[in-house]
Amino acid sequence: MNMTGVEGIVLLGAIGLIMIGLAGLFMSNNVFRMVLALVILESGANLFLILAGFHGLGIAPIFLSNHAISDAGHMMNDPIPQALVLTAIVIGVGVQALALALILKIKAHYNTLDMSEIRQQMEYDLAKNNDVTLPASAQSPDSLVRSKVICQAEQTQPDHIQAKADVQQIGGSVNG
Amino acid sequence: MIWFVSLLVFVMLASAIAVLLLPNMLAAVVASSVVSLALAVLFALLKAPDVAMTEAAIGAGLSSLLLALALRRLGLWRLDDDDVN
Amino acid sequence: MRNVSGLLFSGGLAFLLLVIATHLPFGQPLMLVGSDIIQASPHEVGSANVVAAILLAYRGIDTLGELSILFTAAAGVGLILGHRASQNVPPTQVKNNSGFISQKGIELMIPLLLVVGFYIIFYGHLTPGGGFQGGVILAIAFFLPVLVQSDARLDHNIISIIEGLAGAVFILIGLWAMFYERPFLQPFFNGLFAKGTLGELWSAGTLPLLYLALGLKVGAELAGLLATIADFSITETQGSLSEDDTQ
């Protein structure tokens, strides 16, 4: 591909967007910022796809009334990537709304958006529901954090946990 | 033409980096809207008018509205940037 | 450590993409399907906009699948957040109304937005635009009053009725095409929907009808998504949890 023209610059932009989005997904610790990084990553992929159907002197894939079909058809950009990207953008906003709904629910239950705190509390909940004692993990040597987490979880949602445990017992007896 | 495209790509990448680095979440949402807007102009320059319209309506309009609404519900809707993160 | 490995991974992926893209002949007619469709679609579909012809005629089942993905996302959001009955809102929460100017301005804007949205949907086969873009503009037009007045609410029943009807019409038109021995969801020409000359409003058979159903469905779906997220209140959920504790 011609790297010196417009295509080369746009290609750099698309790769930059993909790279920034990936780096944000890896490095951010806030769940909301991870959704923003996901949006950027998706935009970069869309730009890459559109670029694949572009050739230097092409025109938009729309016939005008004074076009001869065979002449105009040879000059047009590839319409198939455009149709694919059109659906991808709309699906992207649906996925984004689903992620935001999950984040709202996480904030309502755990009252935090920090990835490591959420993971800790979820591990605690899972262990409690399954009657497993948490092994002392090397990453969290201080028992202070865990006791804080335990207190918080017991204060906010014993009913919730109890209901889950009941369901699990019923399920276990049915399976047994 | 080529200078315009270079400027557009530069603005787009700069605001994409700003999305990740800004401490204020509201500012980050606005920066992601700027990314979508620059992307829509790029789509129009790449002769894909349908996609440009979709990106302008969904990416810069509806998606930012969705993110801003969720931000308000999360209680992160603050105009001053003291330790929001 | 995690940061370094993440940066390394994304840098490596960027390098890989760059190398692949410089060695591939971009923009050459690698995909012959595209040029074939461009040559055939004015005669077969009659739509001046080739992207619209691909979306609804050549890849119609893809669009149906995409609608079902969107429906699944909306249903998932509704399931996760739950509906809150509008009469349960205590009157103390009705506040934060924006000023007189923005309320009246938005009342003036709504009919204009509706006209623009329906124009974009109806002329989707002639000009850039179509069901998705027009549907988003319709969704925003219906959602704007909720944005300026916190006591205004979207009626979820009306939204789900519009959504269901539009989806049913989309599939019924697809089945109607099979009645005339065309493939499922392919636009066809018959009677009122005659094949006119390329570039006129009535020139693409039933494609504008399909686009109208698609636009209404997308618009209702997205407006429902926005309304569900706008109705959700974290403090109320937490309040209900602590109420459970006391019992």
Side-chain angles (χ1 to χ4, degrees):
Chain A
M1 120 183 257
N2 177 18
M3 285 303 292
T4 53
V6 174
E7 295 108 309
I9 296 169
V10 178
L11 176 72
L12 284 183
I15 292 177
L17 278 187
I18 292 177
M19 194 181 142
I20 291 170
L22 265 181
L25 267 184
F26 277 119
M27 287 161 62
S28 63
N29 215 8
N30 189 323
V31 196
F32 192 80
R33 215 180 279 277
M34 286 173 84
V35 172
L36 289 179
L38 196 67
V39 172
I40 292 176
L41 177 59
E42 194 185 287
S43 314
N46 287 342
L47 187 55
F48 208 91
L49 261 178
I50 287 291
L51 194 61
F54 177 74
H55 55 88
L57 301 170
I59 59 172
I62 295 172
F63 287 106
L64 300 179
S65 48
N66 56 354
H67 276 165
I69 287 170
S70 59
D71 290 347
H74 288 301
M75 288 157 58
M76 282 182 182
N77 290 327
D78 199 343
I80 290 182
Q82 299 189 10
L84 293 181
V85 168
L86 204 64
T87 49
I89 290 174
V90 180
I91 290 176
V93 87
V95 170
Q96 189 184 333
L98 198 61
L100 286 177
L102 284 172
I103 286 178
L104 283 172
K105 209 62 180 176
I106 285 173
K107 173 82 175 178
H109 271 254
Y110 295 119
N111 200 18
T112 179
L113 287 181
D114 192 83
M115 198 63 194
S116 48
E117 277 182 41
I118 293 169
R119 186 170 296 148
Q120 231 167 7
Q121 298 200 18
M122 269 173 67
E123 266 178 14
Y124 171 76
D125 278 358
L126 280 176
K128 180 152 191 186
N129 283 347
N130 294 322
D131 291 333
V132 181
T133 47
L134 272 176
S137 117
Q139 282 176 344
S140 63
D142 47 345
S143 57
L144 271 178
V145 176
R146 187 167 300 135
S147 64
K148 193 190 89 184
V149 169
I150 289 170
C151 287
Q152 221 171 4
E154 278 178 352
Q155 269 171 10
T156 51
Q157 26 176 251
D159 267 9
H160 174 65
I161 291 169
Q162 190 59 44
K164 266 191 189 168
D166 285 347
V167 167
Q168 211 147 34
Q169 276 175 359
I170 293 168
S173 64
V174 167
N175 284 337
Chain B
M1 174 73 179
I2 196 159
W3 289 109
F4 183 59
V5 171
S6 317
L7 184 70
L8 216 54
V9 167
F10 177 74
V11 167
M12 187 176 74
L13 290 182
S15 42
I17 292 174
V19 168
L20 300 185
L21 295 186
L22 280 173
N24 189 340
M25 281 299 175
L26 191 58
V29 168
V30 174
S32 84
S33 174
V34 172
V35 173
S36 285
L37 210 58
L39 206 62
V41 181
L42 271 183
F43 283 147
L45 288 178
L46 289 179
K47 306 290 164 56
D50 286 275
V51 186
M53 271 181 87
T54 316
E55 182 70 35
I58 293 187
L62 192 103
S63 160
S64 310
L65 193 60
L66 203 65
L67 288 167
L69 266 179
L71 213 55
R72 183 184 273 176
R73 294 291 171 255
L74 286 172
L76 291 174
W77 183 283
R78 288 172 211 164
L79 295 179
D80 47 346
D81 50 346
D82 17 303
D83 56 332
V84 183
N85 212 352
Chain C
M1 190 59 214
R2 187 160 152 259
N3 286 357
V4 175
S5 57
L7 269 185
L8 268 181
F9 177 70
S10 48
L13 188 78
F15 179 71
L16 202 66
L17 280 177
L18 201 64
V19 169
I20 289 175
T22 44
H23 282 269
L24 273 184
F26 264 45
Q28 312 291 327
L30 271 182
M31 294 179 285
L32 298 174
V33 186
S35 45
D36 279 358
I37 283 180
I38 286 177
Q39 296 297 331
S41 74
H43 309 293
E44 286 183 2
V45 185
S47 153
N49 188 347
V50 186
V51 177
I54 291 175
L55 270 178
L56 288 175
Y58 294 98
R59 305 182 68 92
I61 295 184
D62 272 15
T63 306
L64 188 63
E66 193 253 341
L67 281 184
S68 61
I69 289 177
L70 205 59
F71 174 74
T72 314
V77 171
L79 202 66
I80 291 170
L81 295 184
H83 286 313
R84 192 174 55 167
S86 51
Q87 62 264 27
N88 286 352
V89 184
T92 51
Q93 284 212 336
V94 180
K95 57 184 179 184
N96 285 338
N97 272 350
S98 42
F100 175 80
I101 292 177
S102 57
Q103 282 189 27
K104 291 300 163 189
I106 280 183
E107 276 177 21
L108 280 178
M109 262 175 76
I110 288 172
L112 294 178
L113 278 176
L114 286 181
V115 169
V116 171
F118 278 113
Y119 172 83
I120 288 177
I121 291 178
F122 275 121
Y123 281 76
H125 59 295
L126 300 179
T127 54
F132 293 115
Q133 296 92 326
V136 171
I137 292 175
L138 288 185
I140 291 178
F142 281 118
F143 185 71
L144 272 180
V146 185
L147 206 62
V148 282
Q149 303 168 301
S150 51
D151 57 339
R153 306 222 166 263
L154 271 181
D155 196 346
H156 283 282
N157 290 329
I158 294 178
I159 287 180
S160 35
I161 287 174
I162 293 177
E163 187 188 317
L165 274 182
V169 166
F170 191 78
I171 293 178
L172 278 182
I173 295 174
L175 291 175
W176 193 16
M178 292 175 81
F179 186 70
Y180 288 104
E181 296 177 355
R182 301 289 295 261
F184 179 57
L185 274 179
Q186 181 123 40
F188 59 97
F189 313 103
N190 183 62
L192 181 62
F193 308 107
K195 183 175 185 175
T197 51
L198 188 73
E200 287 180 357
L201 183 56
W202 295 107
S203 65
T206 52
L207 196 142
L209 275 188
L210 279 173
Y211 241 169
L212 180 64
L214 183 79
L216 284 179
K217 172 115 174 126
V218 168
E221 209 93 70
L222 292 176
L225 270 182
L226 284 172
T228 314
I229 287 188
D231 274 356
F232 184 70
S233 156
I234 283 182
T235 51
E236 238 170 67
T237 317
Q238 281 174 338
S240 69
L241 276 176
S242 55
E243 275 168 24
D244 289 347
D245 287 355
T246 56
Q247 284 167 4

